[in-house]
Amino acid sequence: MMRNMIAIALLITMQACSASDSWERVMIRGSAEANDPVLKQVREFEKTGQVKDVTVLESFPVQIWLTASKDTIEALQKIPRKTATDQ
């Protein structure tokens, strides 16, 4: 019984490590809009566990450092943005 529990715990740990290995730490630039859609989406992804280690720098537009999968990063980069000159 104990041997089976150890084996299961080891398997779960190995799967968690392999899943997070494909994640990377990147900086995503936000939008110059008042209700930043990029930051909003990052917060939604954070709630669902699709991003982690989120750090928002006080700049304009915001710079958001996060760790996520390549697919999630690509989805965030595709969000339309306004720049300060678009205002």
Side-chain angles (χ1 to χ4, degrees):
M1 176 88 167
M2 183 63 115
R3 186 177 289 168
N4 288 344
M5 289 174 52
I6 292 172
I8 291 170
L10 193 60
L11 179 63
I12 290 170
T13 303
M14 287 174 30
Q15 287 177 337
C17 289
S18 65
S20 65
D21 286 347
S22 64
W23 286 34
E24 52 188 87
R25 183 101 173 130
V26 297
M27 190 273 291
I28 302 289
R29 192 169 304 275
S31 178
E33 297 172 69
N35 294 316
D36 188 340
V38 179
L39 183 58
K40 181 179 179 182
Q41 187 61 56
V42 167
R43 294 299 185 201
E44 290 298 317
F45 282 163
E46 189 174 28
K47 288 178 188 174
T48 61
Q50 293 175 271
V51 301
K52 59 184 179 182
D53 304 326
V54 176
T55 305
V56 179
L57 302 179
E58 293 183 26
S59 59
F60 186 77
V62 297
Q63 295 177 9
I64 309 162
W65 282 93
L66 55 85
T67 304
S69 69
K70 289 183 181 183
D71 291 340
T72 301
I73 293 166
E74 287 176 13
L76 290 169
Q77 290 173 334
K78 289 180 181 177
I79 296 173
R81 293 164 174 73
K82 288 188 177 183
T83 63
T85 57
D86 293 336
Q87 297 292 314

